[in-house]
Amino acid sequence: MPQVIVDGQTVELEDHERLNGIEVARRVGVEIPHYCWHPGLSVVASCRMCLVETGTRHPQTGEIQILPKLVPACQTPARDGTVFITNSEKVKHSRALVEEALLWNHPVDCPICDKAGECQLQDYYFEHGQPQRRADIRPFTSRRRDVGPTVTLFVDRCVMCSRCVRFCREVAGTSELMVVHRGSHEEIDVFPGYPLANKLAGNVVDLCPVGALGDKDFLYRQRVWFLRRHEGVCAGCATGCSLWIEENQQRIWRLKPRTNPHVNKWWICDDGRYSYHHVHREDRLLGVRRRVPEGSKLVEWNAAVEAIPAELAGAQRLAGVFSPHLTVEEAWLLATLLRRQNPQAKLFLGPVPRSGQDEKFPGGFTIRAEKCPNRLGVEAVLWHFMGCLRTWEELLEELAAAAGNGSGAYDAVWVAGGYIQPWMDAGAAARFAHVPLLVVQDLFPSPLAEAATWLLPAAAFAERDGSYVNAQYRLQSFCWAVRPPVGVWSQGQLY
């Protein structure tokens, strides 16, 4: 088994592992500072921040020989007998000089920079920089350049790590970004006529170690030290990317990718990144409404919780519609509720939203055409209770056939929606006209909601606990990040 020594500590590697100095140092809790290196991108060793001393240990004598020059840890493979020294005076002096060189041309505009509070240049300078500045602070310029519909570039803040350029070439495969000019005049720019508009563009903001690339959606809206992070799962498509949901005072301000090598690696798509806006839309359904001859009236939740099961109990023919936006737990609880009222209740899978075809990127990321997070999980629950899978189309056919005979196919139907995009048209809603008791639970108004006997507001993806099963049959659990609006109970609370 290969053995590597890091600052006197021995690290044992598996025979198949191929790690560099940065990765192997993390095994013993040593973080080597770096700007240009990223585990999901190629190695360029351009920033020189990760310079360390290295050498080899003789396998028989144990004698250690150290190379005279410092080497970049990101580009140095960890082999059997390799020795890394990350904390010598020589290494510390090198880091201080690199930090000083970067700050020489970097504008000290931290008070107005969105990256302040999570900037690697700030953190590294306090930890590894010179004890005092050896040059006068010069007036800074702030050249701002739009590089795409969602990203803006603050040219003077760039430290030329080239992470963004490599991402567009290696992961997105679109190559919009490039390095222009030479030497101290180098800058990041887009190819003329090719703005940064690929569907993974927002990841370059996450990759940027300083404040050079800014997200227009988040720019100047919040200070990062006010944000609280919560683990979440994206509900935008069947990939089910792992997310950080960042909120302040019960309002979501941004979504960022959470590293998950089995699902999304280090990335998320822009559709998922900006999907949180629907959580705070003004047209969300709020409060329970009961249809009455004059229209509808607001009802207290406690009264609705008592009245709805009592009304369902009288239904001889009962059906339930299960949205693929429900969590596994919510689907199970709703199925149990309906079967408790009527053991013969029929359970149907709701509409499965799709858009185009799966989009696969060179870096291995996939945006699924299936725009829901938990079809497989809900299907598994329905198979358990029904022994088969009944679809939304089958339910509509049953309702249409019964309406043609002048009757209703069911005495009561519970429709659990929760769709982000419009999913119900007037034609489909009209087929429920002969259902005496129609319970609809959804996020936004729809033709079906207008026809509901009971209209219940639903909680959004970030407002509830549960689990999703993604397209690769991987179960992922999450907890709520923000509370539902006043007047909304989560599905789990109700069922």
Side-chain angles (χ1 to χ4, degrees):
M1 183 174 289
Q3 291 186 340
V4 180
I5 299 176
V6 180
D7 295 341
Q9 303 181 67
T10 301
V11 183
E12 292 188 348
L13 306 180
E14 299 293 335
D15 292 332
H16 66 277
E17 287 187 297
R18 299 293 182 268
L19 304 180
N20 61 31
I22 295 177
E23 294 169 308
V24 76
R26 286 177 173 174
R27 295 284 180 90
V28 293
V30 175
E31 183 66 24
I32 298 176
H34 57 275
Y35 289 110
C36 66
W37 180 80
H38 188 277
L41 303 174
S42 61
V43 178
V44 293
S46 62
C47 73
R48 317 311 283 181
M49 189 65 194
C50 67
L51 293 179
V52 295
E53 292 191 79
T54 187
T56 57
R57 181 180 60 178
H58 195 280
Q60 279 75 41
T61 66
E63 181 183 359
I64 295 176
Q65 291 184 336
I66 300 297
L67 296 176
K69 292 185 178 181
L70 300 180
V71 299
C74 66
Q75 205 175 36
T76 305
R79 300 189 178 98
D80 187 27
T82 302
V83 177
F84 292 102
I85 301 176
T86 72
N87 55 6
S88 67
E89 289 302 319
K90 190 175 182 180
V91 171
K92 292 178 181 178
H93 180 65
S94 171
R95 292 173 182 170
L97 292 179
V98 171
E99 284 296 296
E100 186 175 45
L102 289 176
L103 203 62
W104 173 264
N105 293 316
H106 191 88
V108 187
D109 58 348
C110 302
I112 61 171
C113 179
D114 257 33
K115 200 74 172 183
E118 56 183 6
C119 174
Q120 286 182 246
L121 184 60
Q122 284 181 335
D123 296 340
Y124 288 167
Y125 198 85
F126 279 109
E127 186 174 357
H128 307 289
Q130 298 281 12
Q132 62 184 11
R133 189 180 179 97
R134 298 193 296 175
D136 294 333
I137 297 178
R138 296 178 297 177
F140 67 84
T141 58
S142 183
R143 290 182 294 154
R144 179 173 173 178
R145 179 187 301 155
D146 279 348
V147 293
T150 61
V151 179
T152 189
L153 171 66
F154 295 88
V155 181
D156 301 301
R157 297 175 184 167
C158 182
V159 295
M160 293 306 301
C161 70
S162 77
R163 283 184 177 186
C164 55
V165 177
R166 284 175 283 146
F167 173 84
C168 290
R169 294 178 181 178
E170 301 165 10
V171 180
T174 49
S175 303
E176 300 100 331
L177 294 179
M178 64 175 177
V179 178
V180 297
H181 311 312
R182 289 185 174 184
S184 61
H185 299 289
E186 282 185 332
E187 294 180 0
I188 300 296
D189 204 348
V190 293
F191 279 90
Y194 293 91
L196 182 61
N198 68 72
K199 293 190 175 182
L200 305 182
N203 290 284
V204 301
V205 179
D206 304 325
L207 284 170
C208 184
V210 293
L213 291 168
D215 189 336
K216 293 180 182 178
D217 182 70
F218 182 73
L219 202 62
Y220 304 135
R221 300 183 70 195
Q222 281 284 301
R223 279 303 194 181
V224 298
W225 49 80
F226 293 136
L227 300 178
R228 287 177 289 185
R229 273 188 163 190
H230 307 268
E231 294 184 357
V233 177
C234 181
C237 79
T239 297
C241 294
S242 297
L243 297 175
W244 289 113
I245 302 173
E246 299 188 349
E247 55 86 18
N248 180 27
Q249 297 181 339
Q250 302 303 311
R251 183 177 182 87
I252 301 173
W253 291 102
R254 67 178 179 183
L255 303 182
K256 298 189 73 175
R258 179 164 53 91
T259 302
N260 187 335
H262 306 292
V263 180
N264 56 303
K265 297 184 179 179
W266 304 271
W267 328 117
I268 57 174
C269 71
D270 283 4
D271 290 341
R273 183 183 298 272
Y274 304 120
S275 64
Y276 71 90
H277 290 288
H278 78 272
V279 176
H280 305 296
R281 275 172 50 179
E282 295 183 356
D283 61 338
R284 280 191 60 177
L285 297 174
L286 303 174
V288 181
R289 303 196 74 87
R290 176 70 161 89
R291 190 174 64 196
V292 295
E294 298 79 19
S296 66
K297 66 175 182 178
L298 283 172
V299 179
E300 291 290 338
W301 269 104
N302 292 334
V305 169
E306 295 180 2
I308 294 175
E311 295 183 25
L312 291 175
Q316 298 297 317
R317 296 168 297 172
L318 177 61
V321 178
F322 291 67
S323 162
H325 284 272
L326 292 177
T327 66
V328 173
E329 294 80 3
E330 290 166 352
W332 180 276
L333 290 172
L334 179 57
T336 302
L337 171 64
L338 296 179
R339 282 298 178 92
R340 186 185 301 123
Q341 304 304 320
N342 185 339
Q344 303 303 317
K346 293 184 179 181
L347 312 179
F348 296 85
L349 176 67
V352 179
R354 296 180 181 274
S355 177
Q357 302 294 324
D358 288 356
E359 297 181 65
K360 297 183 179 180
F361 295 85
F365 189 85
T366 301
I367 300 176
R368 303 285 176 176
E370 191 175 283
K371 301 304 180 184
C372 56
N374 195 35
R375 174 182 62 84
L376 292 175
V378 173
E379 283 185 357
V381 172
L382 298 182
W383 271 99
H384 174 82
F385 282 91
M386 291 284 293
C388 64
L389 183 64
R390 305 291 300 276
T391 65
W392 171 253
E393 290 73 20
E394 293 179 64
L395 174 61
L396 293 183
E397 289 176 3
E398 289 186 21
L399 293 173
N405 298 327
S407 62
Y410 296 97
D411 301 322
V413 177
W414 186 306
V415 180
Y419 292 87
I420 300 173
Q421 303 295 336
W423 65 284
M424 174 66 63
D425 57 30
R431 300 194 182 188
F432 291 83
H434 295 284
V435 178
L437 177 59
L438 178 60
V439 181
V440 176
Q441 189 171 23
D442 212 347
L443 285 169
F444 304 105
S446 69
L448 189 64
E450 296 176 3
T453 310
W454 287 94
L455 179 58
L456 309 176
F461 80 103
E463 299 168 349
R464 58 192 205 262
D465 302 338
S467 304
Y468 292 146
V469 179
N470 73 356
Q472 297 177 314
Y473 294 90
R474 185 171 294 275
L475 180 72
Q476 299 181 90
S477 299
F478 53 91
C479 296
W480 64 275
V482 294
R483 295 186 181 90
V486 175
V488 177
W489 280 18
S490 68
Q491 287 83 321
Q493 284 180 281
L494 176 60
Y495 304 155

